[in-house]
Amino acid sequence: MSLSGLGDTGKAQPPPALFPAPESDPPTPGRRRGGAPQAGPARHGSPQPDDAGRQLVFFGADAAEPTVADLAGLLAGPGEVVRMGGTARLTVQVDAAWRVHVLVAELASRGLAASWEPTEGARHAVRTSYTRVLKPLAAAWLHGTTKRPPDAFHLTGRRLRLWLAAAGTAEPPDCFLLRLGTGDQECWESIGVALASAGLAGTLLGPAEGGPAYRITGRRRLSRLAELVGAPPPAAPTNTWPT
């Protein structure tokens, strides 16, 4: 079954993956099984502070149009980018079918066709084609073949939304894990600094502690995360997205 046949929400569907989409995860209460993925919530007017006077969400997911630069959020997590000649390709492995649906739609909204294939451990690899469009992203993040955030790296709402869609895990009642690449130790500290700068200071968990991942705790920080990433995609199961 292709992604274009996942459901009818009355909205234009993104281009299908180059392979049949994986079967949707088992439905949970409150979730529409196989709901069509969206690139994100509709845009609103200029953000306003709430009654508590929290920081304006200038960099929320609905504050700007999707761009290829947003894909840095996947590289902050477990995503990988490789170069070939004057082109580059981005790949990210995910642990659930709903993540495939969301990421393919997010990539399509940025003009990038994506494919997927099953991998070991009931996981899925989502990848783009080699394209010149990704060359600047690869140039910014690769030092030889080593992934490393650029000096000016920061996390916007759209970057966080992509990271969360690929590798975010809720830990009720008041924790959220943002998983990192297992071989990206040189990135972890810089990613933590970027999280703190976004108001999401987290605790780094090593592999022996269930990571690598940053654990975001506390209702205030989770509220901040929810503000930045926007509404959950329809394909996301209940309780997998900060609200």
Side-chain angles (χ1 to χ4, degrees), residues 1 5 8 33 39 47 70 83-84 90 115 120 135 156-157 168 178-179 186 198 206 209 213 225 228:
M1 181 177 66
D8 184 4
R33 186 180 187 274
D70 301 334
R83 288 180 283 207
M84 183 175 70
L90 188 147
S115 62
E120 295 181 1
K135 183 180 178 182
T156 64
L178 291 171
R179 298 196 175 276
E186 293 188 35
E209 303 168 291
L225 180 61
L228 286 168

Side-chain angles (χ1 to χ4, degrees), residues 176-188:
F176 212 96
L177 293 186
L178 291 171
R179 298 196 175 276
L180 303 157
T182 56
D184 299 335
Q185 290 89 337
E186 293 188 35
C187 298
W188 297 349

Side-chain angles (χ1 to χ4, degrees), residues 65-81 88-92 102-114 126-129 131 133-138 141 147 150 153-163 166:
E65 295 298 329
T67 69
V68 172
D70 301 334
L71 301 182
L74 294 176
L75 297 181
E80 300 177 356
V81 63
R89 180 177 73 182
L90 188 147
T91 302
V92 60
V102 174
L103 291 180
V104 168
E106 291 280 8
L107 290 166
S109 74
R110 293 162 175 82
L112 294 167
V126 179
R127 60 172 55 94
T128 69
S129 302
T131 172
V133 173
L134 294 176
K135 183 180 178 182
L137 189 70
W141 278 79
K147 188 177 84 173
F153 176 67
H154 62 282
L155 285 163
T156 64
R158 287 198 175 276
R159 292 178 180 185
L160 282 162
R161 184 178 179 85
L162 287 168
W163 184 2

Side-chain angles (χ1 to χ4, degrees), residues 17-118:
L18 301 182
F19 295 88
E23 289 295 326
S24 297
D25 304 305
T28 56
R31 177 195 171 198
R32 288 188 308 162
R33 186 180 187 274
Q38 294 181 339
R43 294 186 63 185
H44 303 288
S46 299
Q48 299 294 324
D50 61 14
D51 293 338
R54 287 195 296 266
Q55 180 180 354
L56 291 173
V57 190
F58 288 118
F59 299 107
D62 55 356
E65 295 298 329
T67 69
V68 172
D70 301 334
L71 301 182
L74 294 176
L75 297 181
E80 300 177 356
V81 63
V82 295
R83 288 180 283 207
M84 183 175 70
T87 67
R89 180 177 73 182
L90 188 147
T91 302
V92 60
Q93 290 205 28
V94 300
D95 61 6
W98 73 266
R99 299 186 192 274
V100 177
H101 292 235
V102 174
L103 291 180
V104 168
E106 291 280 8
L107 290 166
S109 74
R110 293 162 175 82
L112 294 167
S115 62
W116 72 275
E117 64 181 2

